[in-house]
Amino acid sequence: MIRSRLFRRTLLGMLVLFGFYALAVSAGSDIFTRRQLMRESEATARAVAQSIAGSSMDSLYGLDPITIQSRIDQYLSVPGVRYALVTASSGDIVAHTFAPVVPEDVRALARSLSDARKADSTFQQYDVDLPDGSAALHCVMPVYEGLGGYVHIGMDRSSLDSHVGHVVRSQQILALVFFCVAAFASWFFLQSISRPLAALTDYARKVAAHEFPAPVEVKSRDEIGTLARVMGFMAADLARFVGGLEAEVKRSTGELRTALGELSAIVGGMGEGLLVVSAEGLVLRSNEAFASLFCLEPFGCPVALDALLPLSGQDDSGLRGVLEDALQSMARGEAARHSGEYPFICGDGVRRWVGCTIEPVTIGGKPCIVCLVQDVTARNEAQQALRDAYDKLEAEVASRTRDLRRANAQLLLENAERRSVEQALRRAEQRYRGIFENAVEGIFQIAPDGMLLRGNPAMAEMFGYSDIESLREVGSMAEAMFAEATSSDVFFHQLEMTGNVSGFEFRARHREDRELWLRVNARRVADAHDATLFYEGFLTDITISHRSRQQLAHQAYHDPLTGLPNRLLFLDHLQLAMQRAARRTDAMFTVLYLDLDRFKIINDSLGHGIGDALLREVACTLRRCVRDVDTVARFGGDEFAILLEDTGNCAGAVRIARRIRESLAQPVNIAGHEVFTTASIGIVLQTRDYLTPEDILRDADTAMYRAKEMGKSRFKVFNARMREDTLRLMALETDLRFAVERGELSLRYHPIVDLEDGSLHGFESLLRWRRGNEDVSPAEFIPVAEDAGLIADIGAFVIEDVCRQVAAWQDTACDCGIVHVNISGRQLMRPGFAQMVDEILRRHGIAGSCLRFEVTESVLVRHGTLAVSVMHQLRELGIRLCLDDFGTGYSSLGYLRRLPVESLKIDRSFVWGMEKDEAGRALVRGILTLGLHLGLEVVAEGVETEEQAVLLRDMGCRYGQGFLYAKPLLSERVPPFVCLREAAVAGYGVSVSTGVA
């Protein structure tokens, strides 16, 4: 029996869907029934609880357990009620139906509900597991929101679960019965359809195998019966068609064998070579003509193309290459018909030419190429011989033709040459006349005696004449052209000597007596005996360019603002003066170098326009103060230089310097502003020993800066000592740049002592420089460091070394007190100074309170609020601040009141000699009074005698510093000094050494 897989899958799918449906219905019924029973149990519990609460209200308020117990016992007969329990508002159990005691879970639940009654005072339910293993639905009803107690009802969950299970099982049995009936009915129905379909399938399979059995008999009158009858008819028609087709195939096969035999005979007997090559490069077929053509031994097919036609050194672009290109094009899908002639080296070593036609074809469903070749060597040789003969004939004809044309052209050329010469002469004359008459440059011919022979209108116009005849009437051109006789003589002399002059420039004589500059290019025209016939040339007006050159030359050597000579021209004049002085013993000159004082303030406050006007006024003033033979120059900015020629003696130069200083001190009114200025002047008198002008200016500049250092508005005469000082400062600056790297800088620590009990208050760090074998004073190298911009690096080195030393002392438990560090104004104003100090403190692990930075009053005057801001930043780091050298600078009491300082130092100049100087004691007393009233510590510097210490202590000064207590100490001598000082203060009779560390 043939089973239908189609209807079997259908039946199986229906069974699976029905099974899922039955399970879903059972699950839904279970959930629905359980919810309904839970609602009924909840309603029963609510009703019982409300009944107990209503009937026992008075007993609950009176807490009558017997009454309450008797009333709750009667509710155990209600279906589903498992137990009842009544609790007071405090959670204590009043009555219950448990025997003998209430389970602990129920008791704990009742107690927890009593504790939470304020949070939730409505009807509640819970699931509770009883000690016997059964489950109960625990319902709670508060009485008067829990104030009168609680009624607890337990509903039996076991009966509920049993009832739900019974209902679900009943439904599942009914569903199973229905399922079985439906499955049997479906199976019977599908069998009635699947049997005839299986028979038809078997019949169709036999027909596909060319078996044509009797038709299938299906007696049904539905679509399946109709399908069976139609398949019978189709099978009969197909049987007749297959029979006819087989007969036709036999006939066609015979004809094909006959055609193939004829084709093989044709291919074998054809004179052209035949080659069939597959896409893989295999020769599938060839004929005897191909093997004979290429002198190949007989071979069998298939054979590789590489083996049949190997490449030779001269055949890489011949037949073999063409076949490979055709195969590659066919592999890319670009195959096309191709024909051509190619060389080939045959097996006998003879090079031949073959004509090749390549056609892409498909044989047996596979792409191939068919190649027909024939030997065209003899034909090509005949054609080449024919071409050679034709080329030779063409060359002979061309040669004869050229000879005839050349002879004819020669005759025509000679005839045309005569006419063209005549025309060229006429055109040249006309062109020359046009150029001559219309040229912008002046063109001339001058006789040896100077008379003008010919000239064009441009020349007449250059000299201010209307036409050339008017210019010719002037007479000799040597006088008419040249404004200076020397230029005329030089021009004509050079013409006679060299025969031509090129680019000669001269100042010409204009009819209206205005400036005229010309450039001339001319030549001398001589006869056969070298006698001068005339001079000819052309003139160009260069007046504008000459003026431009003069203006550029003036700008190159003069200051554009003041019109004075600049540095280049001044150096040139100074060089000439030095050369004159070298030739003449009585020649003496003096150089003055000026720099305006406070010019930057005027420029910044009133503007650059006022500044430029002031510079012009200063230039005029300097011109008025010197002679015409003297040179006044501006070097740029506010710097001027003066060269005094033939001064005679030093007194004359000094007199002129005083005149200049007094004249510049006069007020100048510029744009409504009364402007005052002064000048610092450097003078070089003895100028004979100098070799270059730059050396003189260098020393004059040195003298000028020395004048500025002495207070400005004065002059200073240079001497050899200044040069020595300058060289020494330069050497000092150079050595100072490497002093830190060489380890030449070191610190000394000068103690600060409490004047009352002699105890140690702290130290002041002092910088020392050991330069080779000599000690350089800080008063000498600190200003150099500030001017050279080295003070920031040196200051950072000092702070770093102090912090490192303080950390080392703290590690050895040495209490050195507060260490004072001197801070330069430029160092304090350097951006990021506070951050740099903070990093150093963090790196060495010390507190900022261990340090006290000393700054001078000049820092406040120069930098003002910006310095105060930086001091506040240092104060935030814990670093205390001290005002050093108080009273020696521009003291500002207003700043002192606002400054974040804790102490100030009285300069040693006030302390020195105060025991004998009443005025000095009054100044010290005033500073002490001011400091004490402002709450500041006051330290007196330079205490050298016991009498000074007593006077300071009596005046109220707390701390002192000086050689009386000790000289500056090396860092390793500080701990012993601290120990000795502590012993002396303690009264052990130890004397403290004051020697140098």
Side-chain angles (χ1 to χ4, degrees):
M1 177 182 177
I2 300 175
R3 299 180 181 273
S4 175
R5 289 191 296 270
L6 173 63
F7 293 107
R8 184 172 58 194
R9 288 195 297 269
T10 302
L11 179 60
L12 181 60
M14 292 174 62
L15 294 178
V16 172
L17 289 175
F18 188 81
F20 279 115
Y21 170 75
L23 291 176
V25 170
S26 297
S29 177
D30 180 280
I31 295 172
F32 177 75
T33 305
R34 188 176 298 276
R35 286 181 179 175
Q36 287 298 110
L37 293 178
M38 287 291 290
R39 291 193 186 97
E40 291 177 4
S41 298
E42 181 183 345
T44 301
R46 185 188 294 270
V48 171
Q50 289 177 350
S51 177
I52 294 174
S55 61
S56 304
M57 190 66 64
D58 297 334
S59 300
L60 287 172
Y61 276 104
L63 295 177
D64 184 4
I66 299 174
T67 305
I68 295 172
Q69 183 68 45
S70 63
R71 290 189 178 174
I72 65 176
D73 287 340
Q74 62 183 345
Y75 289 102
L76 292 178
S77 59
V78 177
V81 177
R82 180 70 179 274
Y83 61 85
L85 178 70
V86 178
T87 62
S89 61
S90 61
D92 297 334
I93 298 176
V94 179
H96 62 86
T97 59
F98 289 99
V101 293
V102 178
E104 186 59 34
D105 292 345
V106 177
R107 185 186 297 276
L109 180 60
R111 189 178 298 111
S112 64
L113 292 174
S114 175
D115 294 337
R117 61 185 178 85
K118 294 182 179 180
D120 193 353
S121 58
T122 59
F123 181 78
Q124 304 176 48
Q125 60 184 20
Y126 304 91
D127 291 331
V128 178
D129 295 329
L130 298 178
D132 57 359
S134 61
L137 179 64
H138 188 96
C139 301
V140 183
M141 170 64 74
V143 180
Y144 286 145
E145 297 183 354
L147 298 176
Y150 293 87
V151 177
H152 301 260
I153 303 299
M155 302 301 294
D156 190 3
R157 288 287 297 271
S158 301
S159 61
L160 179 65
D161 294 338
S162 175
H163 184 69
V164 172
H166 176 71
V167 172
V168 171
R169 282 192 297 274
S170 299
Q171 289 182 350
Q172 289 178 347
I173 291 172
L174 290 175
L176 181 60
V177 172
F178 178 75
F179 173 72
C180 293
V181 173
F184 178 76
S186 298
W187 178 81
F188 181 78
F189 174 73
L190 293 176
Q191 281 295 323
S192 63
I193 298 175
S194 63
R195 284 193 185 95
L197 286 178
L200 288 175
T201 301
D202 184 60
Y203 180 73
R205 191 178 292 112
K206 292 179 180 179
V207 171
H210 293 182
E211 297 178 5
F212 300 100
V216 180
E217 294 185 3
V218 179
K219 297 180 180 181
S220 62
R221 296 183 178 181
D222 54 9
E223 288 80 356
I224 296 176
T226 304
L227 179 61
R229 289 190 292 273
V230 171
M231 286 187 65
F233 296 147
M234 291 175 61
D237 294 340
L238 186 60
R240 290 192 297 271
F241 178 73
V242 169
L245 185 60
E246 289 177 350
E248 184 66 23
V249 168
K250 290 179 180 179
R251 185 184 62 81
S252 298
T253 301
E255 294 177 355
L256 182 59
R257 287 195 182 96
T258 303
L260 288 175
E262 295 174 354
L263 181 60
S264 297
I266 294 173
V267 169
M270 64 187 303
E272 296 179 342
L274 173 66
L275 195 66
V276 180
V277 184
S278 67
E280 293 78 13
L282 296 177
V283 178
L284 303 179
R285 187 175 181 83
S286 66
N287 60 357
E288 294 180 0
F290 182 84
S292 175
L293 178 62
F294 292 97
C295 301
L296 300 176
E297 297 293 334
F299 58 89
C301 295
V303 64
L305 183 62
D306 297 345
L308 185 62
L309 299 176
L311 282 175
S312 65
Q314 301 176 348
D315 195 38
D316 50 359
S317 62
L319 179 61
R320 163 74 181 278
V322 173
L323 292 173
E324 290 181 348
D325 292 342
L327 291 174
Q328 292 176 1
S329 299
M330 185 171 60
R332 294 193 301 267
E334 302 173 357
R337 180 184 178 88
H338 179 75
S339 61
E341 295 181 358
Y342 308 98
F344 187 78
I345 306 298
C346 296
D348 54 2
V350 179
R351 179 182 178 87
R352 297 184 180 181
W353 284 85
V354 294
C356 176
T357 301
I358 300 174
E359 181 75 27
V361 297
T362 301
I363 300 177
K366 296 182 179 180
C368 300
I369 58 174
V370 175
C371 178
L372 295 176
V373 295
Q374 60 179 347
D375 189 355
V376 295
T377 304
R379 187 190 67 188
N380 287 351
E381 291 176 353
Q383 291 177 352
Q384 183 63 36
L386 182 60
R387 283 194 296 271
D388 293 343
Y390 179 78
D391 293 340
K392 185 177 180 181
L393 181 60
E394 285 287 334
E396 187 69 22
V397 171
S399 177
R400 296 295 179 89
T401 303
R402 283 194 300 272
D403 293 341
L404 292 175
R405 288 177 179 174
R406 189 179 300 112
N408 188 28
Q410 185 69 26
L411 294 175
L412 294 175
L413 182 62
E414 291 176 358
N415 187 23
E417 195 172 71
R418 295 187 181 92
R419 294 194 299 270
S420 63
V421 167
E422 296 174 359
Q423 295 174 359
L425 290 174
R426 286 193 294 269
R427 285 195 301 269
E429 184 180 0
Q430 294 174 356
R431 184 166 55 251
Y432 173 74
R433 183 174 297 278
I435 294 174
F436 184 79
E437 297 292 338
N438 299 315
V440 177
E441 292 84 0
I443 303 174
F444 64 87
Q445 286 183 349
I446 301 176
D449 59 357
M451 299 303 294
L452 180 64
L453 300 178
R454 296 190 64 185
N456 65 343
M459 181 177 179
E461 185 178 355
M462 284 183 185
F463 291 94
Y465 294 94
S466 58
D467 52 37
I468 197 66
E469 295 299 330
S470 300
L471 180 60
R472 187 178 287 113
E473 293 174 359
V474 175
S476 174
M477 293 304 299
E479 299 177 359
M481 288 177 55
F482 297 92
E484 300 172 353
T486 55
S487 299
S488 174
D489 296 340
V490 171
F491 173 71
F492 286 106
H493 177 72
Q494 188 172 353
L495 275 178
E496 289 294 333
M497 296 300 296
T498 62
N500 60 78
V501 174
S502 178
F504 184 81
E505 297 182 2
F506 63 95
R507 187 164 65 87
R509 191 189 306 277
H510 195 272
R511 183 180 183 182
E512 298 176 357
D513 292 331
R514 62 181 178 87
E515 184 182 18
L516 176 64
W517 282 86
L518 300 177
R519 179 187 295 118
V520 59
N521 293 300
R523 69 187 183 95
R524 182 175 70 94
V525 179
D527 59 9
H529 304 287
D530 199 27
T532 303
L533 296 177
F534 54 84
Y535 307 107
E536 63 179 8
F538 60 89
L539 299 166
T540 304
D541 188 349
I542 60 169
T543 304
I544 297 177
S545 62
H546 184 78
R547 291 174 183 172
S548 299
R549 288 200 303 270
Q550 288 181 331
Q551 185 176 3
L552 289 174
H554 184 272
Q555 292 177 355
Y557 293 99
H558 290 79
D559 176 47
L561 178 64
T562 61
L564 295 176
N566 59 9
R567 177 183 288 270
L568 292 176
L569 186 56
F570 185 84
L571 289 174
D572 183 65
H573 289 188
L574 185 55
Q575 182 69 44
L576 295 176
M578 294 176 67
Q579 294 173 359
R580 285 194 298 272
R583 293 192 303 267
R584 294 167 44 196
T585 58
D586 59 338
M588 180 178 177
F589 63 92
T590 304
V591 175
L592 280 66
Y593 201 100
L594 290 81
D595 185 87
L596 300 182
D597 301 326
R598 299 175 62 254
F599 176 74
K600 185 177 186 303
I601 298 176
I602 298 173
N603 219 15
D604 294 341
S605 59
L606 300 180
H608 292 277
I610 301 297
D612 293 344
L614 177 61
L615 291 175
R616 287 191 289 269
E617 289 292 336
V618 169
C620 295
T621 301
L622 294 178
R623 287 196 191 97
R624 290 194 299 268
C625 292
V626 299
R627 301 162 298 175
D628 294 338
V629 296
D630 300 329
T631 302
V632 180
R634 176 175 177 245
F635 283 2
D638 57 346
E639 295 183 350
F640 295 85
I642 301 176
L643 173 62
L644 302 178
E645 302 275 5
D646 297 327
T647 52
N649 53 40
C650 300
V654 173
R655 186 168 53 254
I656 293 175
R658 286 198 180 97
R659 185 191 311 157
I660 291 173
R661 188 184 63 181
E662 294 171 358
S663 299
L664 292 178
Q666 300 299 319
V668 180
N669 190 294
I670 301 175
H673 298 279
E674 193 171 18
V675 182
F676 292 86
T677 186
T678 58
S680 299
I681 307 174
I683 305 175
V684 176
L685 296 174
Q686 304 297 332
T687 56
R688 293 190 178 277
D689 298 332
Y690 290 96
L691 299 178
T692 63
E694 288 79 5
D695 295 340
I696 298 178
L697 288 180
R698 177 200 62 205
D699 290 345
D701 184 63
T702 301
M704 182 269 294
Y705 275 105
R706 184 61 59 89
K708 279 188 175 293
E709 293 173 358
M710 295 176 61
K712 302 180 181 179
S713 185
R714 61 183 64 210
F715 61 85
K716 188 69 178 176
V717 178
F718 180 80
N719 54 49
R721 179 64 181 273
M722 290 184 187
R723 181 180 303 170
E724 294 174 0
D725 292 344
T726 302
L727 294 176
R728 185 173 185 276
L729 288 177
M730 290 180 60
L732 197 69
E733 177 185 341
T734 302
D735 293 342
L736 188 59
R737 291 183 182 273
F738 302 99
V740 176
E741 300 177 4
R742 297 170 180 169
E744 296 176 351
L745 296 180
S746 61
L747 294 178
R748 302 291 189 273
Y749 295 91
H750 202 196
I752 301 173
V753 179
D754 192 325
L755 296 178
E756 294 182 359
D757 56 8
S759 61
L760 182 65
H761 179 64
F763 291 91
E764 179 183 3
S765 61
L766 302 175
L767 184 63
R768 296 292 183 263
W769 181 17
R770 182 69 176 176
R771 184 188 180 199
N773 296 324
E774 65 172 341
D775 292 324
V776 184
S777 171
E780 184 176 0
F781 72 80
I782 291 297
V784 174
E786 290 182 343
D787 293 339
L790 302 175
I791 193 64
D793 296 335
I794 295 177
F797 160 75
V798 171
I799 297 174
E800 183 83 32
D801 196 63
V802 168
C803 292
R804 179 187 58 78
Q805 191 60 58
V806 170
W809 288 335
Q810 291 179 353
D811 292 341
T812 59
C814 176
D815 184 10
C816 60
I818 300 173
V819 179
H820 291 235
V821 182
N822 291 283
I823 302 298
S824 168
R826 296 187 181 183
Q827 182 183 6
L828 185 69
M829 292 298 101
R830 188 176 186 181
F833 174 71
Q835 290 79 359
M836 183 267 291
V837 174
D838 186 28
E839 291 177 2
I840 295 176
L841 292 174
R842 293 177 183 274
R843 184 161 56 248
H844 293 285
I846 65 173
S849 58
C850 299
L851 303 180
R852 178 172 289 173
F853 285 174
E854 295 185 4
V855 295
T856 61
E857 297 172 284
S858 60
V859 175
L860 305 176
V861 175
R862 188 177 298 111
H863 302 289
T865 56
L866 183 58
V868 175
S869 174
V870 178
M871 295 170 73
H872 278 292
Q873 295 177 14
L874 295 173
R875 184 69 177 273
E876 293 176 358
L877 299 178
I879 298 175
R880 287 174 276 189
L881 301 169
C882 176
L883 198 59
D884 195 15
D885 299 337
F886 184 76
T888 59
Y890 300 93
S891 300
S892 175
L893 300 182
Y895 268 120
L896 185 61
R897 181 172 56 87
R898 300 196 307 270
L899 287 177
V901 296
E902 287 81 7
S903 62
L904 57 85
K905 278 191 171 184
I906 302 175
D907 188 68
R908 64 179 68 250
S909 61
F910 297 115
V911 177
W912 184 80
M914 63 176 292
E915 63 271 19
K916 300 178 181 179
D917 185 6
E918 183 65 31
R921 287 198 300 273
L923 289 174
V924 172
R925 187 179 295 107
I927 295 173
L928 284 170
T929 303
L930 176 64
L932 294 176
H933 279 80
L934 291 177
L936 303 177
E937 294 181 0
V938 181
V939 180
E941 293 182 319
V943 180
E944 297 183 357
T945 65
E946 189 65 35
E947 186 179 357
Q948 292 174 351
V950 172
L951 285 174
L952 290 170
R953 184 171 61 247
D954 294 342
M955 291 180 186
C957 183
R958 180 69 180 277
Y959 304 105
Q961 176 184 353
F963 287 172
L964 175 63
Y965 306 105
K967 293 184 179 181
L969 306 171
L970 290 171
S971 58
E972 57 267 20
R973 297 292 301 276
V974 170
F977 178 83
V978 173
C979 295
L980 292 175
R981 175 58 61 179
E982 291 176 351
V985 172
Y988 295 130
V990 180
S991 62
V992 180
S993 174
T994 60
V996 179

